[in-house]
Amino acid sequence: MAKLNIIMVSFVVLVVANSCIPSLAVEENEPKKLWDQCVVKISPKCALNIISQVFGNGVVSIPCCQELVQEGKECHDTLVKYIADRPSLIRNESKYLQKRDEVWAHCVSVSKALSPA
């Protein structure tokens, strides 16, 4: 649970840093344009909800699943990979990337079930 709290705090700090001081938000080798586009596409509440499932034992809510699908797979993949690449998490990166893909598949399924035919 402590690791999940650290991840959530790290994400919030990254988002705030990106808003206030864009040059500090991403590393030089990150695709900054994609990061800038993606980080504003999802609410902080849903971002934390998704992170709690990918990096912990949380469950993504239906509204957050819908937001995630609207955000798009490329953004979801980029943001999770960016967090998973942190030195404290990298040794479990493959597990997190698998959970990322499971969350995406679940949310697509939920969104399709809720969309009008």
Side-chain angles (χ1 to χ4, degrees):
M1 186 57 127
K3 187 179 275 191
L4 181 58
N5 289 337
I6 292 168
I7 293 166
M8 288 183 182
V9 169
S10 296
F11 179 78
V12 171
V13 169
L14 287 170
V15 171
V16 171
N18 187 49
S19 301
C20 300
I21 311 167
S23 64
L24 297 179
V26 293
E27 296 171 5
E28 288 181 32
N29 63 352
E30 286 295 318
K32 183 167 179 359
K33 184 177 179 182
L34 182 59
W35 171 267
D36 288 345
Q37 291 170 352
C38 293
V39 81
V40 297
K41 287 185 178 182
I42 193 160
S43 70
K45 176 185 174 188
C46 285
L48 293 175
N49 189 240
I50 292 161
I51 288 168
S52 74
Q53 182 164 345
V54 173
F55 295 94
N57 295 318
V59 177
V60 179
S61 68
I62 291 172
C64 289
C65 268
Q66 292 173 310
E67 235 183 269
L68 175 63
V69 172
Q70 287 179 340
E71 172 193 46
K73 182 155 178 40
E74 185 178 22
C75 284
H76 175 60
D77 289 353
T78 298
L79 295 174
V80 171
K81 175 91 170 106
Y82 182 78
I83 295 168
D85 281 348
R86 305 285 53 95
S88 62
L89 302 173
I90 194 87
R91 74 173 177 271
N92 293 316
E93 182 182 34
S94 61
K95 177 178 92 170
Y96 299 136
L97 297 182
Q98 180 181 350
K99 286 181 80 175
R100 172 198 70 190
D101 294 342
E102 291 168 2
V103 168
W104 176 259
H106 168 74
C107 286
V108 166
S109 176
V110 166
S111 294
K112 282 183 181 178
L114 294 174
S115 65

